[in-house]
Amino acid sequence: MDVFGIGIESSCDETSVAVVKNGREILINPIFSQTEIHQPFGGVIPEKASRAHLEKLPHLLLETLPSLKNLKMHYIAVTVKPGLVGSLLVGYNTALCLSWLLQAKFIGVHHLEAHLYAPQLTGHEMNHPFLGLLLSGGNSAIYLVQGIGKMDVLCDTVDDACGEALDKAANLMGLPYPGGPYIEKEANLFMEKEKIMVGFEEKFSKQNPLPTIQAAKEDKPVFSFSGIKTALLYFLQKNPHYPREKLCYFFLQRLTEHILHNLRYYLQKYPVKNLVFSGGVAANQYMRKHIENLATEFGVSFISPPPSLCTDNGAMVAAVGYWYYVNHKEFYVKKVESDNSFSFK
Ligand code: KG4
């Protein structure tokens, strides 16, 4: 029997409602991005985000519901944490109503788990255990994923998230919000000019004026993305006319080296067969190539969703919701905090 589910996402600055068949096949996945709303402020304004969800979600539903035709929806999955609480509430209440109206099971989903299972929407088998690297605007972590609802955080950030650092650095360099894609574009221009090939960059690493990032807690590597941003600020104060393309490349290089260093440590420690890279920052082709090369070095399959499914979307919520539905598991929120802990019963 085919299983159909609706996925609703409203945790931050994207509103999306998707319909997914068997957790893998996207029937419809419209996404409304609030980028233009937040761009003038250089970051997400929570109150504006919730209001935009409130305005947009009904329209997306009206766009999505006709595609259901006579299909029976088995479950309604919705992101319940982590996220901006006002934004989460919009999706949560909508999903509750829909599940009652359509007599479908209500499934709360952890946003980061949804990101990690996004690759199954493009035909990847998510064999456990796998290492999941999740880099987004609000989170940066490496997980050991042993099954649905069984995600151990191996390495978290002690300060900023990777995407947050990219956005703030872009702002310092006069680039628009969200900064990640703009930094990538600038860095690409420099790489093309200098004919730099990914992985053959030793010379440029030595020339890099920004410091390498090192961070550990109880002898284990952790992520830290805030110091490099401050280093960039001081560097720019002393060198206001330094070529932006070059600086973007150097910034990206230091972030990538830090991520690779930590990943290498956990790949050595946990012999897994797959490495999953997801979250908004995973749209970055430079990082992807480096991480893929590292996976190859370890004989591990590199799995990552296409850039369009790296950023927030409803389909990934429905994809992970599918497993909760077929395994009769229920995710529940233990504490309504923006931390990464969760459990299921
Ligand atoms: O996962 P996401 O859509 O939203 C959450 O934070 O949950 O991630 C957004 C982040 C932003 O910080 C944005 O700058 C970053 O992903 N991003 C990128 C790229 N595309 C989006 N960072 C680097 N390179 C990109 N191509």
Side-chain angles (χ1 to χ4, degrees):
M1 182 194 76
D2 287 328
V3 173
F4 293 92
I6 293 179
I8 298 181
E9 166 59 38
S10 73
S11 65
C12 188
D13 58 344
E14 263 97 22
T15 323
S16 179
V17 181
V19 182
V20 169
K21 182 177 165 187
N22 297 327
R24 293 178 178 84
E25 194 184 322
I26 300 176
L27 303 187
I28 185 166
N29 186 26
I31 303 164
F32 170 72
S33 165
Q34 302 177 3
T35 299
E36 278 183 21
I37 298 171
H38 303 293
Q39 209 157 38
F41 306 94
V44 178
I45 307 292
E47 180 64 17
K48 284 194 179 288
S50 348
R51 284 173 190 271
H53 289 304
L54 207 51
E55 276 170 30
K56 212 63 199 176
L57 196 51
H59 294 283
L60 293 186
L61 274 175
L62 291 176
E63 198 178 311
T64 310
L65 293 180
S67 74
L68 306 185
K69 298 191 182 91
N70 294 326
L71 293 175
K72 155 86 186 131
M73 288 297 115
H74 297 92
Y75 65 91
I76 315 291
V78 60
T79 302
V80 289
K81 79 177 290 189
L84 305 170
V85 78
S87 295
L88 287 169
L89 268 172
V90 179
Y92 184 86
N93 286 330
T94 309
L96 266 183
C97 283
L98 267 186
S99 78
W100 180 74
L101 275 172
L102 302 176
Q103 291 296 293
K105 192 172 163 61
F106 174 89
I107 295 175
V109 161
H110 191 280
H111 184 68
L112 307 183
E113 193 172 27
H115 268 303
L116 289 180
Y117 283 82
Q120 87 188 20
L121 294 162
T122 45
H124 290 288
E125 284 305 320
M126 310 302 294
N127 294 321
H128 302 111
F130 64 81
L131 272 200
L133 168 67
L134 198 131
L135 301 177
S136 73
N139 299 277
S140 294
I142 299 174
Y143 293 92
L144 177 65
V145 185
Q146 314 230 39
I148 282 293
K150 292 184 191 149
M151 294 178 28
D152 295 319
V153 186
L154 302 178
C155 164
D156 211 343
T157 176
V158 287
D159 39 56
D160 283 1
C162 185
E164 187 183 357
L166 281 158
D167 295 342
K168 288 176 180 168
N171 189 276
L172 291 176
M173 291 188 278
L175 291 167
Y177 171 86
Y182 293 97
I183 290 190
E184 177 170 28
K185 254 187 224 152
E186 293 275 317
N188 277 345
L189 292 174
F190 179 70
M191 289 182 76
E192 274 162 28
K193 244 188 235 164
E194 295 291 328
K195 300 192 174 49
I196 303 173
M197 278 165 62
V198 171
F200 298 90
E201 298 162 82
E202 216 182 51
K203 177 179 124 197
F204 290 93
S205 182
K206 283 188 186 140
Q207 282 176 15
N208 197 324
L210 301 173
T212 51
I213 311 171
Q214 280 172 347
K217 212 171 165 185
E218 289 156 10
D219 288 341
K220 286 188 205 135
V222 287
F223 286 132
S224 169
F225 293 106
S226 132
I228 184 84
K229 195 187 60 192
T230 313
L232 177 75
L233 171 71
Y234 292 150
F235 181 80
L236 277 168
Q237 282 169 353
K238 282 193 194 137
N239 307 275
H241 304 299
Y242 197 84
R244 188 162 69 185
E245 294 167 6
K246 197 171 176 180
L247 199 51
C248 282
Y249 167 72
F250 281 140
F251 187 74
L252 206 51
Q253 185 180 52
R254 286 295 185 242
L255 294 188
T256 310
E257 285 170 354
H258 179 48
I259 295 158
L260 291 175
H261 172 270
N262 289 10
L263 264 181
R264 182 178 287 281
Y265 175 90
Y266 290 104
L267 278 168
Q268 268 160 1
K269 210 160 169 195
Y270 298 94
V272 289
K273 291 214 166 75
N274 297 314
L275 170 63
V276 175
F277 181 27
S278 200
V281 179
N284 189 289
Q285 297 303 314
Y286 175 80
M287 285 185 182
R288 276 170 97 104
K289 191 76 201 107
H290 268 292
I291 294 166
E292 187 173 2
N293 288 350
L294 184 73
T296 309
E297 190 189 317
F298 276 82
V300 167
S301 299
F302 174 77
I303 298 177
S304 191
S308 60
L309 293 174
C310 283
T311 42
D312 294 348
N313 65 87
M316 69 181 192
V317 178
V320 78
Y322 167 82
W323 292 113
Y324 282 89
Y325 177 79
V326 295
N327 291 320
H328 307 289
K329 278 182 180 160
E330 264 178 51
F331 169 100
Y332 71 98
V333 178
K334 268 180 159 173
K335 272 194 287 172
V336 184
E337 279 176 7
S338 57
D339 64 3
N340 290 346
S341 68
F342 69 100
S343 188
F344 65 90
K345 58 183 173 185

